[in-house]
Amino acid sequence: MNPPGELPARVRRFTRSETWVHWSMAALMGMCVLTAACLYVPQFAELVGRRELVVRLHEWSGLLLPAPCLAGLASRAFRADLRRLNRFVPHDRTWLRSALRRSGPRPAGKFNAGQKLYAGWLAGAVLVMLGTGLLMWFTSVAPLTWRTGSTFVHDWLSLALGIVVAGHIAKAWADPEARFGMRTGFVGREWAEREHGEWLR
């Protein structure tokens, strides 16, 4: 209990529904990446075996990947976060300039400009992966040239996706307070003031 007039040491950043969406999508994305590695890297394929099971896990985890986000639309807080992620404001341009120069102020709302770019890129990549994956799965619905092109796009985009997701994990690993916030929904007020001051105010 904080003394009267004293601000709480921690502030709520995410609701339970928001953390549920994040971790559900993270689990499905992790399954997609791991099964893809087992399908394309011979050493992993030999280690795991059971290719048919791996293929089915890959297909269904990819197909279900948008489901947590769609379910999250029932949450007002999640819808509000989607609106924030989808809107660039003047301080986002300041944040990007400072990030590129590696100096200067980096003002940010609930999500900084880098997080907004990551979320937008990830949403587009997931939709492309879903579309190309379906063309590869249902081989009778499209001509051979379409399926060949889909395979090319799916394979190379999966590599880019793996690299970008690894970068996301590395950034999270380097910031224990951000990880705590995604686990519990709460972050320290000092961290929020430093990293997302515009949102805290």
Side-chain angles (χ1 to χ4, degrees):
M1 188 94 179
N2 296 292
E6 184 176 322
L7 293 172
R10 291 197 172 274
V11 292
R12 178 175 283 281
R13 181 162 168 78
F14 299 112
T15 63
R16 287 184 180 179
S17 59
E18 290 171 294
T19 56
W20 177 85
V21 169
H22 178 272
W23 290 113
S24 299
M25 290 192 72
L28 290 167
M29 179 65 77
M31 181 64 72
C32 285
V33 171
L34 288 174
T35 51
C38 292
L39 291 172
Y40 287 100
V41 179
Q43 291 84 352
F44 292 161
E46 291 174 9
L47 185 65
V48 174
R50 305 190 67 179
R51 182 178 176 83
E52 187 64 25
L53 175 61
V54 173
V55 168
R56 293 292 165 258
L57 286 172
H58 184 75
E59 290 171 341
W60 282 103
S61 57
L63 192 62
L64 291 172
L65 193 55
C69 190
L70 294 174
L73 294 175
S75 163
R76 182 181 300 174
F78 182 70
R79 293 197 304 272
D81 276 356
L82 287 182
R83 286 192 293 272
R84 291 186 183 100
L85 285 167
N86 200 37
R87 186 178 299 122
F88 262 70
V89 292
H91 63 246
D92 289 323
R93 288 188 282 275
T94 303
W95 190 98
L96 283 173
R97 282 195 298 270
S98 296
L100 290 172
R101 295 170 182 166
R102 298 179 181 272
S103 64
R106 296 191 188 184
K110 187 171 185 181
F111 303 103
N112 63 45
Q115 291 167 326
K116 291 179 181 182
L117 289 174
Y118 171 78
W121 187 90
L122 188 65
V126 166
L127 290 176
V128 172
M129 293 294 283
L130 183 61
T132 54
L134 287 171
L135 284 174
M136 294 161 62
W137 191 358
F138 299 104
T139 56
S140 61
V141 300
L144 178 61
T145 53
W146 286 26
R147 298 199 307 272
T148 303
S150 292
T151 302
F152 178 83
V153 171
H154 197 87
D155 289 354
W156 282 103
L157 186 55
S158 67
L159 178 61
L161 196 58
I163 293 170
V164 171
V165 168
H168 176 69
I169 294 170
K171 290 289 288 183
W173 190 259
D175 192 340
E177 192 65 28
R179 294 201 313 275
F180 183 85
M182 192 48 74
R183 284 199 315 272
T184 67
F186 290 89
V187 293
R189 180 171 290 276
E190 289 185 8
W191 179 90
E193 178 65 41
R194 184 177 69 253
E195 300 292 336
H196 300 275
E198 298 296 322
W199 164 67
L200 189 62
R201 286 189 285 274

